[in-house]
Amino acid sequence: MNNKIKIAPSILASDFSKLNDEIHDIEGAGADFVHLDVMDGHFVPNLTFGPPLIKSLRNLTNLTFDVHLMVSNPDDLIDEYIEAGADILTVHVEACNHLARTLSYIQSKGCKAGVAINPHSDIQFLNNIIENLDLVLVMTVNPGFGGQKFIDAMIKKISSVSEIISSRDIYLEVDGGINQENAKDVIKAGANILVAGSSVFKVNKNTSYKINIDALRK
Ligand code: DX5
Ligand code: ZN
């Protein structure tokens, strides 16, 4: 595993009226991934976007598209998300009846497969599906909204997931309420991809996003 910390700005916090500029700006500012939060109004209360929007953004950048599916029945549209340009497709354990099958299907299509874990969910299941994993996403807020407060108890969970992953080539991503203050704690606990919405797009508004991205990485 490459030890460099990757920053994945979540465009949920960006200005949707100028997504073209927002994508180019985060790319210029040194973002590693673009984090795309898909919400269906069912698995989570909120609604965002689906494959057509991801497909139109795909023409703007070569950055890795990190697609986080907060949807019930994720199997229904996996092909569409991959065809739209997802490089990593992450499903929630709480939304999958046959998680190993879903993950191995994603991998069979040449896409990296991730599993996301809500704050209340246990992690022991990871041992049973570890062969089909490219990424584990530890939710550090309850999914559905940007701008929420980081749940401190998740630090211990990140460490436990890191122990399970051990030396395997599997990313450990954290998502929700990540900011300049807690970034060092989550990195110390083992995270190597930091999703950040508000702390990239909504602080230091009159300066470059580079300041915010660099601050998280340090
Ligand atoms: C929450 C989403 C997050 C969210 C992060 O359900 O999965 O990706 O956009 O936003 P911040 O960084 O503002 O908590
Ligand atoms: Zn997310």
Side-chain angles (χ1 to χ4, degrees):
M1 173 62 60
N2 181 342
N3 284 331
K4 185 174 170 280
I5 301 301
K6 296 194 186 302
I7 306 297
S10 163
I11 61 159
L12 187 62
S14 72
D15 183 342
F16 280 14
S17 72
K18 50 170 194 166
L19 268 179
N20 187 336
D21 295 342
E22 297 282 58
I23 298 278
H24 286 134
D25 287 353
I26 56 170
E27 183 165 19
D32 300 284
F33 294 174
V34 181
H35 186 80
L36 298 139
D37 285 306
V38 178
M39 303 186 186
D40 67 349
H42 186 265
F43 180 72
V44 290
N46 213 348
L47 277 171
T48 57
F49 47 77
L53 183 119
I54 295 170
K55 190 172 184 184
S56 66
L57 298 181
R58 188 66 283 182
N59 301 320
L60 303 176
T61 177
N62 289 323
L63 287 177
T64 295
F65 272 15
D66 172 32
V67 178
H68 177 190
L69 295 183
M70 285 163 276
V71 303
S72 305
N73 307 317
D75 299 283
D76 294 348
L77 280 179
I78 283 173
D79 289 341
E80 280 81 353
Y81 286 106
I82 295 174
E83 279 158 26
D87 299 295
I88 304 169
L89 201 52
T90 296
V91 296
H92 267 261
V93 56
E94 304 85 3
C96 293
N97 290 327
H98 305 288
L99 182 60
R101 188 182 292 158
T102 300
L103 295 169
S104 64
Y105 183 75
I106 294 170
Q107 290 178 324
S108 77
K109 295 283 168 177
C111 188
K112 290 198 187 306
V115 68
I117 310 170
N118 275 338
H120 71 272
S121 297
D122 288 335
I123 59 171
Q124 288 313 313
F125 79 93
L126 288 171
N127 290 301
N128 303 321
I129 49 139
I130 202 100
E131 305 300 326
N132 294 111
L133 271 184
D134 299 297
L135 179 148
V136 179
L137 190 171
V138 176
M139 287 303 307
T140 44
V141 298
N142 287 290
F145 301 92
Q148 301 182 82
K149 189 184 174 304
F150 180 86
I151 301 170
D152 291 326
M154 294 302 104
I155 293 285
K156 194 160 171 249
K157 190 179 203 175
I158 297 162
S159 301
S160 306
V161 170
S162 180
E163 273 174 35
I164 292 173
I165 289 175
S166 184
S167 61
R168 292 181 182 85
D169 194 14
I170 297 173
Y171 285 121
L172 204 177
E173 179 171 52
V174 289
D175 183 6
I178 302 297
N179 57 34
Q180 211 176 319
E181 282 71 48
N182 55 36
K184 60 178 176 313
D185 299 328
V186 297
I187 292 168
K188 201 170 154 207
N192 45 34
I193 305 175
L194 275 51
V195 176
S198 310
S199 64
V200 167
F201 290 103
K202 294 196 169 159
V203 302
N204 300 317
K205 280 209 99 162
N206 298 321
T207 55
S208 146
Y209 293 148
K210 185 169 191 318
I211 292 174
N212 298 340
I213 288 175
D214 287 349
L216 290 168
R217 217 192 294 277
K218 278 179 200 147

